[in-house]
């Protein structure tokens, strides 16, 4: 069967224009960031020249290393994004997705069936299509990922990854992904067949419930497959952290240290789970980088997100949006023009009900092409929450100085950029820059006249 993509189709046009515009926009932003780095990257920002810890940490060698690391990532971004753009366009222009679907449909259903009519056949078509349609991009990412991990990250002292560890990680990730993908695609196939007009409500509720369940399952059963989690040993660090926890009235399911250093030298800390399953996890790299007071301040920041109800507030916004989004996807999945435009002419209008997973996939593909336009809005609210969490940490610790020195060390250890352009920050940064965070913390502590 000849596959013909309709280039004048509005859905195809939205995808093509959105993909190309997003590509140009991202390259423009990365370029102005690169030029700003070339101009100011080797200089200590004026805003932190009066901070001894900053002057000591960001010497000429460190500033140069930050620039080199950011430049290395930029020069990898160029060919990687270009290859991704070309592949994405070729997959659409040459009808890869309908080609794969026709092969799967003919194998699962036989030539006599136009579309899968049973839950089992629908599930098998959906599951195989999900895997095979994503395979080209996964394969393309492999050489770039290997180069980043075993060249760039090792060159700058971050990567401790070995080939053996990479292979075992990959196998574990594939198995876990297949299990959860099979589970979710089966549930979706069930509702596509049984509830063709209301699956969007049920599937949204299922995905939201799944997200909450994963918050309980992940820290207890999945994360330990990749890392060791040891209880935080007794000592000054634990005492400082418990002091902060007692001040905030935060109950948790344990304090743990994760052996992150076996893969990477990057530092971090995070919370996971709900209720009694809530865990506070510190990277062992973080433990080595910061003093007990600085660790307590960084933890105070994370506690701020919980105590200020940032997560709950975000859920109150995201959950209704999830229903709106899935309703929009449902409506798109009913439109024959969506299927015809991308070459799925073997799906007649009368059979769309059992093939809505194709419409859902195409709608998500289009959304991905234009989603860049909402990233500044999402990042704006995220940065606002980060400022509030910093202020909370300073309040509960009695001073913002420990958080400032901790942030300086983390920025230095992770070789994060100091002076990115404001437009770049506005569009791409979910966290404020180090300079902005320090300025906000110092303003809070400044005496009022």
């Amino acid at each position: 069967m000849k596959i013909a993509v309709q280039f004048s189709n509005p859905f195809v046009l939205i995808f093509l224009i959105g993909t190309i515009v997003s590509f140009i926009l991202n390259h423009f932003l990365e370029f102005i960031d690169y030029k700003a780095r070339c101009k100011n990257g080797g200089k200590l920002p004026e805003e932190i020249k009066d901070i001894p810890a900053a002057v000591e940490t960001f010497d000429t060698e460190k500033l140069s290393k930050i620039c080199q690391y950011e430049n290395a990532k930029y020069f990898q971004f160029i060919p990687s994004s270009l290859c991704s753009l070309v592949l994405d366009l070729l997959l659409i222009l040459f009808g890869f997705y309908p080609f794969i679907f026709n092969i799967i449909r003919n194998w699962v259903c036989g030539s006599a069936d136009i579309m899968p009519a049973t839950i089992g056949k629908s599930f098998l078509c959906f599951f195989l299509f999900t895997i095979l349609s994503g395979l080209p991009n996964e394969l393309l990412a492999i050489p770039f990922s290997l180069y980043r991990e075993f060249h760039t990250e090792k060159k700058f002292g971050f990567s401790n990854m070995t080939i053996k560890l990479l292979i075992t990680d990959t196998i574990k990730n594939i198995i876990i992904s297949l299990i959860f993908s099979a589970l979710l695609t089966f549930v979706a196939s069930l509702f596509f067949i049984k509830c063709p007009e209301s699956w969007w409500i049920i599937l949204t509720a299922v995905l939201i419930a799944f997200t909450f369940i994963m918050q309980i399952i992940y820290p207890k059963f999945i994360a330990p497959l990749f890392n060791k989690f040891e209880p935080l040993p007794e000592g000054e660090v634990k005492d400082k952290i418990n002091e902060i926890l007692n001040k905030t009235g935060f109950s948790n399911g344990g304090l743990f240290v994760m052996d992150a250093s076996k893969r990477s030298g990057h530092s971090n800390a995070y919370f996971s789970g709900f209720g009694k399953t809530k865990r506070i996890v510190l990277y062992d790299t973080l433990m080595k980088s910061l003093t007990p007071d600085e660790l307590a301040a960084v933890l105070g920041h994370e506690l701020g997100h919980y105590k200020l109800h940032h997560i709950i507030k975000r859920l109150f916004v995201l959950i209704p949006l999830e229903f709106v989004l899935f309703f929009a996807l449902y409506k798109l999945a009913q439109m024959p023009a969506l299927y015809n435009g991308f070459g799925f002419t073997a799906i007649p209008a009368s059979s769309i009900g059992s093939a809505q997973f194709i419409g859902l996939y195409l709608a998500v593909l289009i959304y991905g092409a234009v989603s860049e336009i909402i990233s500044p809005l999402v990042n704006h609210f995220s940065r606002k929450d980060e400022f509030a969490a910093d202020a909370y940490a300073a309040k509960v610790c009695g001073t913002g100085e420990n958080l400032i020195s901790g942030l300086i060390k983390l920025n230095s250890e992770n070789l994060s950029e100091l002076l990115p352009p404001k437009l770049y920050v506005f569009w791409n940064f979910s966290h404020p820059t180090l300079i902005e965070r320090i300025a906000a913390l110092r303003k809070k502590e400044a005496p009022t006249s």
Side-chain angles (χ1 to χ4, degrees):
M1 178 184 294
K2 184 177 179 181
I3 297 170
V5 177
Q6 300 173 3
F7 299 114
S8 60
N9 182 281
F11 297 111
V12 176
L13 285 174
I14 291 171
F15 171 81
L16 294 176
I17 294 172
T19 299
I20 294 171
V21 169
S22 293
F23 173 82
I24 294 172
L25 176 61
N26 280 316
H27 273 264
F28 168 72
L29 292 170
E30 293 295 337
F31 177 73
I32 63 171
D33 186 38
Y34 169 69
K35 295 300 289 184
R37 199 161 50 244
C38 291
K39 181 180 179 181
N40 301 313
K43 306 172 186 175
L44 185 66
E46 291 291 335
E47 295 88 341
I48 58 174
K49 280 187 174 179
D50 62 335
I51 302 177
V55 175
E56 181 181 348
T57 303
F58 297 115
D59 56 18
T60 303
E61 183 180 354
K62 176 65 71 173
L63 292 171
S64 175
K65 191 173 182 180
I66 290 173
C67 289
Q68 291 171 26
Y69 180 58
E70 292 293 334
N71 288 344
K73 292 194 295 182
Y74 172 59
F75 292 131
Q76 289 167 38
F77 161 78
I78 295 173
S80 174
S81 62
L82 182 60
C83 288
S84 293
L85 172 71
V86 172
L87 179 61
D88 288 342
L89 294 179
L90 289 178
L91 292 177
I92 293 297
L93 298 181
F94 287 94
F96 171 77
Y97 298 115
F99 173 75
I100 289 295
F101 172 71
N102 289 336
I103 292 176
I104 295 170
R105 177 180 57 83
N106 290 336
W107 178 69
V108 173
C109 303
S111 57
D113 292 335
I114 295 177
M115 285 304 303
T118 65
I119 295 171
K121 288 183 177 181
S122 178
F123 158 69
L124 195 53
C125 283
F126 189 4
F127 183 60
L128 292 175
F129 180 77
T130 301
I131 293 172
L132 294 179
S133 60
L135 202 55
N137 282 293
E138 292 292 334
L139 293 175
L140 176 65
I142 290 174
F144 294 106
S145 177
L146 290 175
Y147 183 84
R148 181 177 62 252
E149 186 68 49
F150 290 101
H151 179 267
T152 305
E153 293 295 299
K154 282 192 179 292
K155 178 181 177 181
F156 289 92
F158 289 125
S159 177
N160 296 315
M161 183 69 76
T162 64
I163 295 295
K164 179 182 178 181
L165 185 57
L166 178 68
I167 292 172
T168 55
D169 278 356
T170 302
I171 292 172
K172 290 175 186 176
N173 276 315
I174 289 173
I175 293 173
I176 292 169
S177 297
L178 287 176
I179 291 171
F180 285 116
S181 294
L183 178 63
L184 290 174
T185 51
F186 176 78
V187 171
S189 299
L190 173 66
F191 293 126
F192 287 150
I193 299 293
K194 295 295 184 180
C195 310
E197 296 180 356
S198 58
W199 62 258
W200 63 274
I201 301 175
I202 304 169
L203 195 55
T204 306
V206 168
L207 289 175
I208 292 170
F210 176 76
T211 302
F212 281 101
I213 292 170
M214 283 301 295
Q215 290 293 316
I216 299 172
I217 293 175
Y218 179 82
K220 289 221 167 190
F221 301 105
I222 298 178
L225 296 175
F226 296 90
N227 292 95
K228 291 181 181 179
F229 294 83
E230 300 289 342
L232 183 64
E234 299 294 331
E236 187 180 2
V237 171
K238 189 172 183 179
D239 292 341
K240 292 285 185 181
I241 290 175
N242 280 328
E243 184 181 339
I244 295 295
L245 295 176
N246 291 334
K247 280 185 180 179
T248 58
F250 182 85
S251 59
N252 67 90
L255 302 169
F256 295 90
V257 179
M258 187 180 86
D259 62 337
S261 58
K262 76 176 184 179
R263 290 183 180 82
S264 173
H266 290 290
S267 300
N268 204 356
Y270 68 88
F271 289 3
S272 63
F274 291 106
K276 294 182 179 180
T277 67
K278 281 188 295 194
R279 290 184 167 197
I280 298 172
V281 178
L282 306 173
Y283 284 21
D284 56 354
T285 49
L286 189 70
M287 299 279 292
K288 296 173 185 176
S289 301
L290 305 185
T291 67
D293 284 325
E294 290 165 348
L295 274 168
V298 169
L299 187 61
H301 169 92
E302 298 300 329
L303 285 168
H305 287 304
Y306 274 87
K307 301 304 290 187
L308 297 173
H309 310 297
H310 290 160
I311 297 170
I312 299 298
K313 290 175 182 176
R314 195 167 296 180
L315 287 174
F316 274 115
V317 175
L318 290 180
I319 289 177
L321 283 179
E322 288 283 336
F323 281 97
V324 171
L325 176 61
F326 267 82
F327 178 71
L329 294 176
Y330 160 74
K331 283 296 185 182
L332 287 172
Q334 311 308 308
M335 298 181 180
L338 176 65
Y339 300 83
N340 295 333
F342 285 92
F344 287 88
T345 52
I347 304 177
S350 59
S351 299
I352 283 179
S354 58
Q356 289 184 86
F357 64 86
I358 294 295
L360 184 62
Y361 184 88
L362 294 175
V364 170
L365 207 64
I366 294 170
Y367 172 76
V370 299
S371 60
E372 186 72 30
I373 61 175
I374 67 169
S375 60
L377 180 64
V378 175
N379 286 332
H380 167 75
F381 288 107
S382 176
R383 291 193 300 271
K384 186 177 178 182
D385 286 348
E386 294 301 323
F387 280 127
D390 281 351
Y392 181 89
K395 180 181 178 181
V396 76
C397 292
T399 176
E401 291 304 314
N402 291 322
L403 182 57
I404 288 174
S405 59
L407 291 173
I408 288 172
K409 288 181 181 179
L410 287 175
N411 198 101
S412 172
E413 291 292 326
N414 291 315
L415 297 180
S416 300
E417 203 166 6
L418 289 177
L419 280 174
K422 290 184 178 180
L423 179 60
Y424 188 82
V425 173
F426 167 76
W427 205 276
N428 287 331
F429 275 37
S430 61
H431 284 56
T433 64
L434 174 67
I435 306 302
E436 292 172 327
R437 295 177 76 173
I438 290 176
L441 284 166
R442 297 176 91 182
K443 185 177 180 181
K444 287 283 184 183
E445 294 204 340
T448 56
S449 54

